[in-house]
Amino acid sequence: MLIGELVKLTSLSKDTIRFYEKEGLIFLEKKERRTNNYKEYSEKILQRLLIIKRIKSFGFTLAETREFLTLIDLNSASCNSVSNKMLEKVSIIESKINELQE
């Protein structure tokens, strides 16, 4: 699928998708280009973008999202490891709230 289809399916902008590619969150192999140099995105990339979007919707930064993706890539994304990362994030947010309230 072309980038326009990804935009429709993910509600991410073209710029965001290109940024994620530039940052190494999604990977395109050389063979995933058409003869006219258009990028051909796979279903796997679509699923990865949806995962990224979901993680970001929980308030995680790009660096934190990268950590989650690494866990997924290494098949280490157990309930326990993901839960621990979520609890760390909640703790950081609660700390910031307390700071702002003071």
Side-chain angles (χ1 to χ4, degrees):
M1 73 189 78
L2 297 176
I3 196 165
E5 293 174 73
L6 277 182
V7 168
K8 289 177 189 171
L9 295 171
T10 63
S11 300
L12 297 170
S13 70
K14 289 180 183 181
D15 290 337
T16 299
I17 294 169
R18 290 182 182 124
F19 176 74
Y20 289 164
E21 184 182 355
K22 180 182 169 204
E23 290 296 311
L25 298 174
I26 59 172
F27 310 98
L28 277 140
E29 296 180 27
K30 296 263 188 222
K31 66 180 181 178
E32 294 180 292
R33 288 188 179 265
R34 294 182 175 183
T35 53
N36 59 5
N37 211 27
Y38 283 17
K39 295 175 186 173
E40 185 71 38
Y41 295 92
S42 65
E43 179 70 24
K44 185 178 174 182
I45 290 177
L46 169 62
Q47 293 307 314
R48 190 163 176 99
L49 286 170
L50 292 172
I51 290 168
I52 292 168
K53 183 178 177 182
R54 180 106 170 137
I55 294 168
K56 296 279 293 156
S57 75
F58 291 134
F60 288 94
T61 65
L62 203 56
E64 292 165 333
T65 301
R66 188 183 315 277
E67 290 175 23
F68 276 109
L69 293 174
T70 300
L71 288 174
I72 292 167
D73 292 342
L74 298 173
N75 287 326
S76 300
S78 66
C79 287
N80 195 30
S81 64
V82 171
S83 184
N84 286 338
K85 290 222 171 277
M86 295 275 193
L87 290 173
E88 286 174 26
K89 184 66 172 183
V90 168
S91 177
I92 291 169
I93 292 171
E94 285 175 345
S95 179
K96 287 182 180 181
I97 289 171
N98 289 335
E99 227 177 86
L100 289 169
Q101 285 176 337
E102 290 176 7

